[in-house]
Amino acid sequence: MRAARLIKMVLLLQSRPSMTAAELARELEVSERTVTRDAQALSEAGVPVYADRGRAGGYRLVGGYRTRLTGLGRSEAEALFLSGVPGALREMGLEDAASAARLKVSAALMPSLSDASRAAAQRFHLDAPGWFTEPKTPELLPAVADAVWDDRRLLARYRRGDSDVERELEPYGLVLKAGVWYLCARVTANLDSFRVYRIDRFTTVEPGAERFVRDPDFELPAFWDERAEQFARSILRAEVVVRLSADGARRLPYAVDPAAAREALEIAGEPDADDGWVTVTLPVESEEVAHSQLAGLGPDVEVLAPESLRARFTNDALRLAALYGT
């Protein structure tokens, strides 16, 4: 415990010109008296810790006592500090490890790059969840993350419909999408089968005794992109036929699935000669969802089919006319 604290004290002093006893005590979560004793211990061990007296005094390292990371430019150093996602690291239980790593890197950088961490933090912040949501960190996420890092098989029970299902998994990677955590894993009983699981649906997870050998051809980003596209397409099980004004066609990708909208517009016929409206056949999740999405286009969309969806918009138009007048 004390050895780790002494190392952290040296790294703190390497990363800054000097620090007061109060600042060190706050960073190390000890008393100022303990800081004094630790500085004495470091000095006796040969680490050149020097104490300046007076109001502006503090502790500093002398004699060029520093380990440097050579070859790093400013942009590279700043990019390095952007590589961590604080919220995600905290949820996986890796916040302390990431903090220690950043401190070690800061301490080893050239003096001219010592402000890289602060510069990066001032210029970029990632807020992963969507608006108007309060994502809840899955209770079992740290245990799943440990298994992912350790390449250790995982016995997991998860909710599927009204029942629980148990699977032995090889956990390959974690994905944080719009505030929701997913596990990409291979089912041990069928090593050709990679699947995606929502971690908040796990009811229990138990790390196994055995580690697994990763498939060297597996690439998490490519796998996730493919599955995400498959999922987006799989839920588009219905079709609607609509006419769109030029403004409606421009806004369509913002109202419905963007990829589906772009593809529908690409294969649509030429605009009408009279009014410039274009007719498109659009895949949608359901009539209910299409009604909600297309309503946002207002008078720039006309539903042609199915008749039941057209009737919904006709009813909307009549109610709006009664509400606002003719």
Side-chain angles (χ1 to χ4, degrees):
M1 183 72 176
R2 190 189 185 199
R5 189 175 71 242
L6 292 175
I7 293 172
K8 186 174 182 179
M9 183 175 179
V10 173
L11 293 173
L12 284 167
L13 293 174
Q14 281 190 200
S15 64
R16 307 178 194 182
S18 69
M19 295 183 69
T20 65
E23 289 172 337
L24 283 168
R26 186 165 54 252
E27 290 283 353
L28 299 172
E29 298 181 350
V30 295
S31 67
E32 293 185 31
R33 181 172 296 181
T34 299
V35 168
T36 301
R37 288 199 296 265
D38 286 351
Q40 178 75 25
L42 288 171
S43 180
E44 292 174 355
V47 178
V49 178
Y50 180 79
D52 289 318
R53 305 294 181 183
R55 178 181 297 179
Y59 292 92
R60 61 187 177 89
L61 293 174
V62 296
Y65 191 89
R66 177 178 296 277
T67 300
R68 293 186 173 92
L69 285 178
T70 58
L72 279 179
R74 171 164 291 279
S75 61
E76 294 171 323
E78 290 173 348
L80 183 63
F81 285 105
L82 288 179
S83 61
V85 184
L89 292 170
R90 181 174 60 252
E91 292 176 5
M92 288 189 290
L94 298 174
E95 184 178 26
D96 289 343
S99 176
R102 286 192 295 270
L103 181 59
K104 291 178 180 179
V105 172
S106 296
L109 286 172
M110 298 288 287
S112 60
L113 302 179
S114 61
D115 65 335
S117 174
R118 176 177 170 81
Q122 287 177 330
R123 288 164 174 79
F124 180 82
H125 174 69
L126 176 63
D127 186 6
W131 287 104
F132 314 117
T133 59
E134 295 183 3
K136 183 179 179 181
T137 303
E139 182 179 346
L140 298 175
L141 176 60
V144 175
D146 285 345
V148 170
W149 284 112
D150 203 26
D151 291 342
R152 190 172 295 278
R153 286 179 177 171
L154 197 66
L155 187 63
R157 294 185 65 86
Y158 64 95
R159 295 187 301 275
R160 189 171 70 181
D162 296 329
S163 60
D164 277 8
V165 178
E166 186 174 271
R167 292 283 186 273
E168 186 180 46
L169 305 174
E170 295 182 353
Y172 267 66
L174 294 168
V175 175
L176 176 59
K177 170 72 171 180
V180 179
W181 283 96
Y182 297 89
L183 172 68
C184 302
R186 185 161 64 174
V187 181
T188 305
N190 181 6
L191 295 182
D192 293 328
S193 176
F194 282 93
R195 300 181 184 178
V196 177
Y197 300 88
R198 278 185 59 145
I199 295 181
D200 58 6
R201 292 181 182 167
F202 285 151
T203 55
T204 62
V205 294
E206 182 180 342
E210 296 182 2
R211 289 184 171 86
F212 64 92
V213 178
R214 284 178 168 266
D215 182 346
D217 296 328
F218 179 83
E219 295 184 4
L220 181 59
F223 170 79
W224 176 258
D225 287 345
E226 179 184 351
R227 287 304 174 93
E229 183 178 354
Q230 289 177 359
F231 172 75
R233 291 180 179 276
S234 70
I235 64 174
L236 303 179
R237 301 187 180 95
E239 283 188 346
V240 300
V241 181
V242 298
R243 293 179 69 244
L244 297 160
S245 70
D247 192 49
R250 179 185 62 80
R251 293 162 50 202
L252 184 65
Y254 301 97
V256 301
D257 179 76
R262 286 191 293 268
E263 290 181 9
L265 290 169
E266 287 174 0
I267 63 176
E270 294 295 322
D272 294 342
D274 296 334
D275 55 15
W277 285 46
V278 63
T279 300
V280 302
T281 300
L282 182 69
V284 295
E285 184 175 345
S286 66
E287 183 176 315
E288 186 74 30
V289 172
H291 177 243
S292 174
Q293 293 175 332
L294 294 173
L297 298 179
D300 290 305
V301 61
E302 178 190 3
V303 175
L304 302 179
E307 187 59 37
S308 55
L309 182 58
R310 182 178 176 88
R312 285 174 179 252
F313 278 89
T314 301
N315 184 55
D316 289 347
L318 293 172
R319 291 174 61 192
L320 286 170
L323 184 62
Y324 289 100
T326 57

